[in-house]
Amino acid sequence: QLQLVESGGGVVQAGGSLRLSCAASGGGFTDYAVGWFRQAPGKEREFAAAISRGGSSTYYANSVKGRFTISRDNARDTVYLQMNSLEPEDTAVYYCAASITYTSRSRGDYEYWGQGTQVTVSS
């Protein structure tokens, strides 16, 4: 069974950058598309970015496009989310998730989830 562990969250000032990591274990990582989702207090969990199994296709929410970059290193079983020009509105718990079927924007298409990492952007 695939396990995912996020890291790299923290507190940063507006305009700053963070890089989140999602480390997978349990085998078969290259069989999975991976997505990043985020959940702010009092809001639903929303899609941020996704990457296909081989890394050739990426997708972004409009709210992060041009500021966030998703990438993966299949040799290290790790997916990254580089976040630049951070805004207070980016404050949320960030989750990575893995899907055996689709590179999807939909939470329901992902079978495995990490525990999340907190990102706080101060103004």
Side-chain angles (χ1 to χ4, degrees):
Q1 183 161 338
L2 196 68
Q3 285 128 24
L4 304 172
V5 178
E6 302 95 334
S7 62
V11 180
V12 64
Q13 287 190 329
S17 298
L18 284 173
R19 188 178 80 157
L20 305 183
S21 298
C22 172
S25 61
F29 179 66
T30 55
D31 293 334
Y32 294 86
V34 176
W36 283 98
F37 291 77
R38 64 186 187 179
Q39 188 166 18
K43 295 188 176 181
E44 289 194 356
R45 194 170 300 187
E46 65 176 10
F47 170 77
I51 190 165
S52 60
R53 294 173 185 82
S56 60
S57 298
T58 56
Y59 305 90
Y60 297 95
N62 287 337
S63 58
V64 308
K65 195 175 295 183
R67 300 186 299 122
F68 290 11
T69 302
I70 189 170
S71 62
R72 67 189 295 162
D73 183 346
N74 284 341
R76 297 179 184 271
D77 289 351
T78 301
V79 170
Y80 303 98
L81 186 68
Q82 178 66 44
M83 305 186 297
N84 298 329
S85 302
L86 283 161
E87 305 167 352
E89 293 74 22
D90 296 316
T91 295
V93 178
Y94 283 71
Y95 299 88
C96 67
S99 172
I100 195 71
T101 49
Y102 304 112
T103 309
S104 174
R105 298 170 183 264
S106 173
R107 291 177 297 173
D109 289 329
Y110 289 84
E111 296 88 9
Y112 299 102
W113 292 82
Q115 83 290 348
T117 186
Q118 176 71 47
V119 171
T120 302
V121 184
S122 62
S123 57

